[in-house]
Amino acid sequence: MKRRTFIKRSGLASSVLFVPNFLKAHNELWPVTLGNKKLVIIQLSGGNDGLNTIVPYTNDVYYKNRVSIAQKKQDLLLVDGEVGFHSALSNFKNLFDDGFVTIMNNVGYPNPVRSHFRSTDIWQTASASNEILKTGWVGRYLDGVAKDPVGAIEVDDMLSTLMKGKKINGIATKNARLLYNTTKEPYFAKVLENSKDKHLSEHNLGYLYKTAIDAKSSAAYIFEKTKVYKSLWEYPKNSFGKQLKTVSEFINSGLKTQIYYTSLGGFDTHANQVNSQKKLLGTYSDAIAAFVNDLKNAGTFKDTIILTFSEFGRRVKQNAANGTDHGAANAVFLMGENLKNPGMFNKPSSLLDLDSNGDIKYEIDFRQIYTSLLKKWLHTDTEAIISGNFEPLDLV
C-alpha cells in the first residue's frame, strides 16, 4: 500500500511518530519532571499589517505613506502619546489595560524573506533565512523534552512543520471525539492487527504502523481526559473562536499537553485592506478576550502564556490597490498573568530608518522570544531546540 493512500484512508495525516518503546501506554511515557505551564501559539497567517494595528498616530511619515488607508487618531484606542490600537481591538485593549499584554515592536530576523511559505517556515523551524530545517522548534521540544506526541497539539486538521520532530510529531485535531472514533474504525483496527514486528523495521511501512499505533494511544488519552469537561464560556461564533474554545477545554480538562498551536488566516491584505483587516482584528480581539476570561474563570490563566505572531509585517507605503504588500519586521504580542514587562516592551519604529527595501528593520530576533519562553517559562535547555546563541529577554 502506498504511504499517501494509507494516510488518506486512515485520517492520520495529523498524527505522529517513532518512539523507542511505542507500545507502552501514554501515561507511562510522560516525564515526571515536566511542570504544568502551558504555551499557546497563535499565528495571524498572511502577514498582518502591524502599522495599522499598533498605529503611530503622531508620526507624519505614517500618514504620508498611507494616504487612503491610514487610521485616524480620533478612531484609535489610544495607548500613550505615540501609538493607539486599531478601533477593532477594544477587547484586546482591555486586556492590555489590565496588565496582561506585552507588545514587542520590530520583531524579525536578518535578511528577511517576503514569501509567505518560506517566512512561515523560518518562524516555525526557528532557522536562519539561508538555512533549511526539516523539523520545527516545537517538534524538537517533543523529541528532547516531552518525548511524547501529546506534548503538543495543533488545533487543525493537518500538522504544521512547527510540530514535526525528527522522531516525534505532535497531534493535530479539532475534535478529540472524531480523532478517537477514527482510530476505532474497522479499517484502522485491521491495519494494526496485521502489523508484524518485521514490518516495524521497514522504512516506510514501519513508519506508518508506528504512526497508527501511537495515534491510537494518543487519541484515546486525549478523548478520555477531555470528554468530562465542556466550557460554558460564550465565544464568538466563528472558526477562530471555536479553535480557542477547544484549546481552553483541552487545558482546563487537565491534559498534560504543554504547547498548543492555532492560527487565524486572511491577513494577506494586498487590496482594499481597511475593511478586511478591521474584521480580522475584531475576530482576533473578541476571541482572545473570551479565551483569556475562560482561563481566568477556570484558574488556569496564571499557568498559561499566549504568543501571537505573524510571518512578516507589511510595507510602510501603501500600494495602488488600497492595500499593503509584504514587508519585514512586525509586532508580536505576549499575554499572561506573569509578564515581567507588561505594556510596550520597546519603542515603535521611527519609519525613517528603514532597510534597503524600504521596510521596517528588526530590533528583536524572534528566536530571542522562543529562547526566553523555553528557558524561563518551560524551564528547558534550548541547546537542542534553538540553533545559535540568542539572548533571552525579560518577558516572563
Side-chain angles (χ1 to χ4, degrees), residues 33 82 87 120 187 226 228 277 295 341:
T33 54
E82 288 186 85
S87 61
T120 293
Y187 171 79
T226 59
V228 297
Q277 193 196 23
L295 295 181
N341 285 288

Side-chain angles (χ1 to χ4, degrees), residues 104-112 118-129 131 133 137 140 162 307-311 329-330 332 362-374 386-387 390-393 395:
M104 289 163 279
N105 293 295
N106 315 321
V107 181
Y109 52 89
N111 304 311
R118 180 61 191 137
S119 193
T120 293
D121 200 50
I122 289 168
W123 277 81
Q124 293 194 348
T125 63
S127 72
S129 59
E131 180 184 26
L133 298 179
W137 69 273
R140 297 193 291 275
L162 174 75
L307 170 69
T308 300
F309 77 96
S310 200
E311 64 266 32
N330 204 357
V332 168
Y362 87 97
E363 175 186 352
I364 297 172
D365 193 301
F366 71 101
R367 290 161 290 190
Q368 289 181 267
I369 300 173
Y370 294 169
T371 299
S372 307
L373 295 176
L374 286 165
I386 306 295
S387 177
F390 296 97
E391 187 69 25
L393 304 171
L395 298 176

